[in-house]
């Protein structure tokens, strides 16, 4: 059974960089038919797609975040990562990683999510 | 960008009764390959979202057959034939046709 697990700091200061990692187990991140994505959910709000990456590092980003977001993959560690620069309180959210069965969807396996709060 | 809307935004259902959620997109989600790139997710309280339906009408692995999806173009429907207590949560539709994939605002379903 495929499992995904997010990890990273739960608290980030304004203007700094948010960094998260998603560890994949129970399957290889290198399967060419899948992408790997990040989605976030601000407190009490809906879901926002951040971006997706393939094992060959082909990326798609949400234009609303593109200037601040980098997604990378480390196939040797079977994990992928998210960086968001110059964070503000608006970046406070639960961040989910997910497997993308295609390149834009559907998201068929999800991690449990990790809370990231931006505050000084 | 494609904008997704849902109705109703909240729904209270009696166990054993049917329920229906509507989702509308600002542009057609019908690809030239004949598939509608519309998915449905359920986020149960305190959990991450789970995939219910993909490509408008295909049930994901392990999803009970009381869930069904239909529609084409810009209008889609999720139906629950007989609601059970475990079906409570927020239901989201999502378009996966073009970047950026976009979720609807969600429909909160609870039990009467």
């Amino acid at each position: 059974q495929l499992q995904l697990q997010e990890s990273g700091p739960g608290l980030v200061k304004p203007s700094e960089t948010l960094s998260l990692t998603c560890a994949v187990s129970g399957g290889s991140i290198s399967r060419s038919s899948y992408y790997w994505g990040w989605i976030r959910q601000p407190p009490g709000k809906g879901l926002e797609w951040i971006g997706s990456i393939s094992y060959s590092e082909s990326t798609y980003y949400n234009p609303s975040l593109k200037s601040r977001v980098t997604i990378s993959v480390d196939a040797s560690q079977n994990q992928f990562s998210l960086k968001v620069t110059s964070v503000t309180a608006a970046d406070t959210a639960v961040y989910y990683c997910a497997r993308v069965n295609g390149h834009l969807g559907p998201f068929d396996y999800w991690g449990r999510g990790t809370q990231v709060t931006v505050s000084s | 960008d494609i904008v997704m809307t849902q109705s109703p935004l909240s729904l209270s259902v009696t166990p054993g009764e049917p329920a229906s959620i509507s989702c509308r997109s600002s542009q057609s989600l019908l690809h030239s390959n004949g598939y509608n790139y519309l998915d449905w997710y359920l986020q149960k309280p305190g959990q991450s979202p789970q995939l219910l339906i993909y490509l408008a009408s295909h049930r994901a692995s392990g999803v009970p057959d009381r869930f069904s999806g239909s529609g084409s173009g810009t209008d889609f429907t999720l139906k629950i034939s007989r609601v059970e207590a475990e079906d409570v949560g927020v239901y989201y539709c999502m378009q996966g046709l073009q970047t950026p994939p976009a979720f609807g605002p969600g429909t909160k379903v609870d039990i009467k």
Side-chain angles (χ1 to χ4, degrees):
Chain A
Q1 176 77 348
L2 192 74
Q3 293 187 329
L4 295 88
Q5 178 67 59
E6 306 88 350
S7 62
L11 182 63
V12 183
K13 290 183 168 56
S15 79
E16 295 190 344
T17 296
L18 177 163
S19 297
L20 298 175
T21 296
C22 181
V24 178
S25 59
S28 172
I29 204 169
S30 300
R31 285 195 64 178
S32 61
S33 53
Y34 300 118
Y35 275 64
W36 305 88
W38 290 95
I39 302 101
R40 70 181 184 179
Q41 186 170 36
K45 295 189 177 180
L47 300 163
E48 179 183 34
W49 174 76
I50 300 170
S52 301
I53 190 168
S54 70
Y55 85 99
S56 60
E57 303 190 73
S58 174
T59 53
Y60 293 86
Y61 294 127
N62 193 321
S64 68
L65 298 167
K66 187 174 183 177
S67 64
R68 299 192 295 125
V69 168
T70 302
I71 298 175
S72 59
V73 65
D74 185 344
S76 67
Q77 297 291 319
N78 219 38
Q79 64 186 31
F80 59 107
S81 300
L82 169 71
K83 291 188 188 298
V84 183
T85 61
S86 304
V87 297
T88 69
D91 295 307
T92 293
V94 176
Y95 284 75
Y96 297 100
C97 61
R99 188 179 81 170
V100 194
N101 198 335
H103 70 278
L104 295 182
F107 302 100
D108 57 0
Y109 286 90
W110 293 66
R112 289 189 169 187
T114 188
Q115 172 70 48
V116 177
T117 301
V118 179
S119 175
S120 55
Chain B
D1 292 5
I2 297 176
V3 177
M4 307 300 292
T5 56
Q6 292 180 229
S7 63
L9 296 183
S10 66
L11 189 57
S12 191
V13 188
T14 301
E17 293 296 304
S20 180
I21 300 170
S22 175
C23 173
R24 183 166 289 180
S25 57
S26 60
Q27 300 175 35
S28 176
L29 301 184
L30 180 61
H31 191 277
S32 56
N33 62 13
Y35 289 107
N36 285 279
Y37 282 74
L38 186 284
D39 309 318
W40 289 96
Y41 298 85
L42 165 60
Q43 187 173 30
K44 296 183 178 181
Q47 296 185 18
S48 52
Q50 61 186 87
L51 178 66
L52 294 177
I53 302 286
Y54 63 96
L55 297 176
S57 62
H58 296 78
R59 261 190 310 277
S61 176
V63 174
D65 61 7
R66 64 179 181 274
F67 291 94
S68 65
S70 63
S72 183
T74 61
D75 291 289
F76 301 90
T77 302
L78 176 72
K79 292 184 179 178
I80 311 173
S81 59
R82 294 174 303 280
V83 172
E84 298 188 4
E86 66 181 24
D87 300 336
V88 299
V90 181
Y91 290 78
Y92 296 94
C93 61
M94 189 205 85
Q95 71 84 12
L97 180 66
Q98 61 179 245
T99 303
F103 294 87
T107 295
K108 186 174 183 179
V109 173
D110 63 24
I111 299 295
K112 283 182 181 176

